[in-house]
Amino acid sequence: MGVAIPNASTMNWFQFRGITNELDSNLASTDYRQFTVSKTGEFNFKIADINTNIKIVDQNNKVVAEAKAKNEAAETSAKLGPGTYTAVISQAVRGVNEREYTLDITERQNIMMVGTGAQMKGIARAVVGNDSGVQKHTLTVAQGGEFVGNMSLPYTRWALMSKEGKVVASGDTMDPAKSGEDMLKKPSFKVEPGQYELVIVPPKNVVGEIPYQLNFVQKVAKAPESTEERPFDKIMREREARLKQWAAEDANKSSSTSKTTPYKMSLLA
């Protein structure tokens, strides 16, 4: 029975593990693995082994993604349509044969941010070899504004990058004691409409698979807090109250006097 070909459209994550035990036209030790895509989507390809190259080739033998790991893990991404693709894993150094490798293929989420915010759901996994554990996704901002980021996974960092590689916003949960604080007290950031790269760095000591959420919530202006009354304002307020009281008392006195017999004047003959 042949090995089933994985469908990248039906899995958030899968992994190819094997040995480069064939020689390509350049005499590089190589291995070939196939996968399919049933609906258009964007995917990340990460090779965790140093001095290892990967190419993703479509059914027309066209290279649609490529990465070269030198002294650390390498990653690339591509938007793929329906079809069958081949992952070509080869050693960068000639003469290095039958070497083990690990290739991760993950869904590259395209999160949509509207005026009220956005939500991203992911899974943190234990890192393998020289893999940094970094996860990358796409954030499309349809309506800009001011937002607050809230990550559910402790000891995690995240950053929002522009197309020019500039950090637009960032945050972390390195202090779990602050994870439950009021959202409105957390630092906010402003973002304009456009497309950004969302970079997430989970902790490396993850055991198994841990789901997490990253929520972007619209910043809501707080109602102004009541301030303590100044001594001068208190004096003026009390003075005004006394004046009103005295005026009322004088009005009552005038009203009661008007009901008595008026004083009669006599003219002398």
Side-chain angles (χ1 to χ4, degrees), residues 147 158-161 166-171 188-191 198 216:
F147 302 91
W158 62 268
L160 199 59
M161 313 288 293
K166 180 181 178 182
V167 177
V168 176
S170 63
S188 61
F189 61 91
K190 292 184 178 180
V191 61
L198 178 59
F216 293 111

Side-chain angles (χ1 to χ4, degrees), residues 137-180:
H137 300 281
T138 301
L139 180 70
T140 300
V141 180
Q143 185 176 345
E146 188 173 2
F147 302 91
V148 176
N150 188 45
M151 166 65 75
S152 67
L153 187 65
Y155 304 108
T156 300
R157 294 185 173 93
W158 62 268
L160 199 59
M161 313 288 293
S162 68
K163 289 184 177 180
E164 295 75 26
K166 180 181 178 182
V167 177
V168 176
S170 63
D172 65 71
T173 54
M174 305 309 290
D175 186 356
K178 295 182 179 179
S179 60

Side-chain angles (χ1 to χ4, degrees), residues 12-32:
N12 293 327
W13 168 83
F14 65 97
Q15 190 177 75
F16 284 136
R17 303 187 73 174
I19 299 175
T20 52
N21 54 9
E22 298 184 38
L23 294 179
D24 66 5
S25 59
N26 294 319
L27 301 181
S29 184
T30 306
D31 192 24
Y32 304 87

Side-chain angles (χ1 to χ4, degrees), residues 220-241:
V220 180
K222 293 180 65 177
E225 299 179 357
S226 58
T227 57
E228 186 178 352
E229 188 177 31
R230 297 179 302 175
F232 175 78
D233 294 334
K234 181 179 179 181
I235 293 172
M236 296 302 294
R237 178 178 56 78
E238 292 177 346
R239 180 180 177 183
E240 183 178 0

Side-chain angles (χ1 to χ4, degrees), residues 71-179:
N71 296 322
E72 57 184 10
E75 184 176 4
T76 185
S77 63
K79 188 174 182 179
L80 306 180
T84 300
Y85 297 84
T86 302
V88 182
I89 305 98
S90 61
Q91 299 302 321
V93 180
R94 291 185 182 181
V96 177
N97 301 321
E98 297 191 358
R99 185 163 175 253
E100 294 184 352
Y101 68 85
T102 301
L103 173 62
D104 287 343
I105 300 178
T106 59
E107 176 192 12
R108 185 181 177 97
Q109 296 186 46
N110 193 336
I111 306 111
M112 183 68 66
M113 179 181 282
V114 294
T116 55
Q119 182 184 82
M120 180 256 172
K121 293 183 178 181
I123 296 177
R125 301 179 181 85
V127 298
V128 178
N130 294 283
D131 186 4
S132 62
V134 174
Q135 300 180 10
K136 297 180 180 179
H137 300 281
T138 301
L139 180 70
T140 300
V141 180
Q143 185 176 345
E146 188 173 2
F147 302 91
V148 176
N150 188 45
M151 166 65 75
S152 67
L153 187 65
Y155 304 108
T156 300
R157 294 185 173 93
W158 62 268
L160 199 59
M161 313 288 293
S162 68
K163 289 184 177 180
E164 295 75 26
K166 180 181 178 182
V167 177
V168 176
S170 63
D172 65 71
T173 54
M174 305 309 290
D175 186 356
K178 295 182 179 179
S179 60

